[in-house]
Amino acid sequence: MKALRYENQKLSMIDVVKPDAGGEALVRVTLSGICNTDLEITRGYAGFQGTIGHEFVGVIESLPEVSEARPSGRAFIESEPSLTVGLLTPGQRVVGEINAGCGVCDLCRAGDPRHCEKRTVLGIVGRDGAHAEFLKLPLANLLPVPDEVSDERAVFTEPLAAACGILERAQITDDTSVAVIGDGKLGLLCAQVLATTGAAVTLVGKHPHKLQIAERRGIETNTVNKAGLRKREFDVVVEASGSATGFDLALDLLHPRGTLVLKSTFHGATDLNAARIVVDEISVVGSRCGRFAPALGLLKTNAVDVESLISEEVLIECC
Ligand SMILES: [Zn+2]
Ligand SMILES: [Zn+2]
């Protein structure tokens, strides 16, 4: 099969052996999404070597022969009543959570491998990823895609889930004022997800055509310069730009005792102004991966625009 691999500081599309799924499910990838993390990996982030890609929608090619003892991803879909639950069978359209745990530690047994110490992460840590014809994942990681959700929308489940993950880490309700810094894919998804809570959300960015995507969904936007005038106005600021200037702006915008959510992995060191965090008693929280069920729920009800975030589609054969 063809796979886009990063090895020895070189990115190339090569023929590799189709994975032996062993005790996992084999998935034929229909679409995979390229995101900034992929680009960072090709610059050395996470020290990953192998097939890159962690955002995908696909079709189950084969199931593991012996069903796993660990809790199934379907358990989480039950927390999202709008999704119909069905048994996973070959031929079914699926998306997959990217953290694969050891299956035996307390975290894994409770059904959440995101912080399992022995986890592998699809296309990021110790596990070949999604920019390939086939991938394998534990059956527990797979969730069925509702019929209403097209492949082009379903491929956004992973980044959308990451945006939903903010709601696990910060109190955001309909009377919270939130600024999201960064108008890239992640920032646009975060702003849209947070707006579904009824919170007053302002997206801050540099690109008029990207800010317009949020405006079309009724979200207020500001240029970076304009936002700089709104010092100490916000309860929560989500930093999704990954830049040092975004980090400084986030501290400017927060009022005392506000919450700073760090959503971007900063490549390299950040000049952390610890004194400001202490003096203003800012709570700083990190946020990484989210669960897929809430994201599938949002896709199913068309609560977010993801199509506008597609800049180009390419066929894997022609790369
Ligand atoms: Zn991504
Ligand atoms: Zn574990």
Side-chain angles (χ1 to χ4, degrees), residues 134-284:
F134 294 91
L135 62 80
K136 61 175 185 170
L137 270 176
L139 184 59
N141 286 50
L142 302 181
L143 286 88
V145 177
D147 289 343
E148 300 90 327
V149 181
S150 67
D151 283 350
E152 278 76 11
R153 289 174 61 73
V155 76
F156 283 93
T157 308
E158 194 279 332
L160 189 59
C164 293
I166 293 170
L167 299 173
E168 290 181 53
R169 304 285 294 136
Q171 234 343 43
I172 295 174
T173 62
D174 57 3
D175 57 15
T176 311
S177 57
V178 187
V180 177
I181 299 177
D183 58 11
K185 181 175 82 174
L186 185 61
L188 280 160
L189 292 174
C190 291
Q192 292 189 71
V193 165
L194 300 181
T196 65
T197 65
V201 177
T202 303
L203 177 68
V204 180
K206 291 179 176 168
H207 309 92
H209 65 284
K210 291 184 178 174
L211 292 175
Q212 276 166 15
I213 296 170
E215 282 161 18
R216 285 201 296 271
R217 305 296 290 201
I219 294 167
E220 188 187 355
T221 65
N222 268 179
T223 59
V224 173
N225 287 343
K226 263 201 182 153
L229 303 173
R230 302 181 66 179
K231 287 192 170 48
R232 300 183 164 232
E233 254 188 51
F234 295 90
D235 303 316
V236 176
V237 176
V238 177
E239 205 311 296
S241 77
S243 71
T245 51
F247 192 83
D248 282 339
L249 178 61
L251 288 178
D252 286 343
L253 299 186
L254 273 174
H255 66 57
R257 295 198 168 165
T259 302
L260 170 58
V261 180
L262 298 181
K263 198 65 211 172
S264 293
T265 42
F266 289 83
H267 193 55
T270 305
D271 244 342
L272 181 72
N273 190 336
R276 281 181 78 182
I277 292 169
V278 173
V279 172
D280 284 344
E281 298 192 320
I282 301 298
S283 300
V284 181

Side-chain angles (χ1 to χ4, degrees), residues 31-33 55-58 93-96 143-146 148-160 292 295-296 299-300 306-307 310:
L31 284 176
S32 61
E55 305 176 5
F56 74 93
V57 55
R93 258 182 348 129
V94 288
V95 287
L143 286 88
V145 177
E148 300 90 327
V149 181
S150 67
D151 283 350
E152 278 76 11
R153 289 174 61 73
V155 76
F156 283 93
T157 308
E158 194 279 332
L160 189 59
F292 274 26
L296 283 169
L299 289 170
K300 186 176 171 176
V306 293
E307 286 95 332
I310 300 172

